[in-house]
Amino acid sequence: MTSDLSVFTLDAPQREWFVRCTDANLRLRVCSVEANNGELAIVSPEKEIFMFSRRDIAELQTALAAAITQAAQDLAAT
């Protein structure tokens, strides 16, 4: 049995990111953000998967940008 390892190259684009977060009990957790075939998936620490298609990704990007801006304003006000 042979395998083609040429698909594993160092210059391949990153497709998975791990993001630290906390749960409702303030315990440290890690979520996975994955990009594949034009879709985005966010995987919770409990392995619940949230899928985003092209339209969903645009809405998520807008919502995250607005939420990040608001969080920064909240921090600046304290």
Side-chain angles (χ1 to χ4, degrees), residues 12-61:
Q14 183 172 352
R15 298 206 170 269
E16 184 175 25
W17 299 262
F18 296 101
V19 181
R20 286 180 287 168
C21 57
T22 54
D23 65 13
N25 296 313
L26 301 178
R27 293 178 297 201
L28 182 62
R29 299 291 190 210
V30 176
C31 291
S32 170
V33 178
E34 304 170 10
N36 196 18
N37 294 324
E39 292 186 333
L40 178 72
I42 298 177
V43 183
S44 76
E46 292 78 25
K47 306 298 183 215
E48 189 173 5
I49 300 172
F50 303 90
M51 297 293 299
F52 299 87
S53 65
R54 179 181 298 184
R55 182 174 154 236
D56 298 333
I57 292 170
E59 291 176 2
L60 176 64
Q61 186 174 22

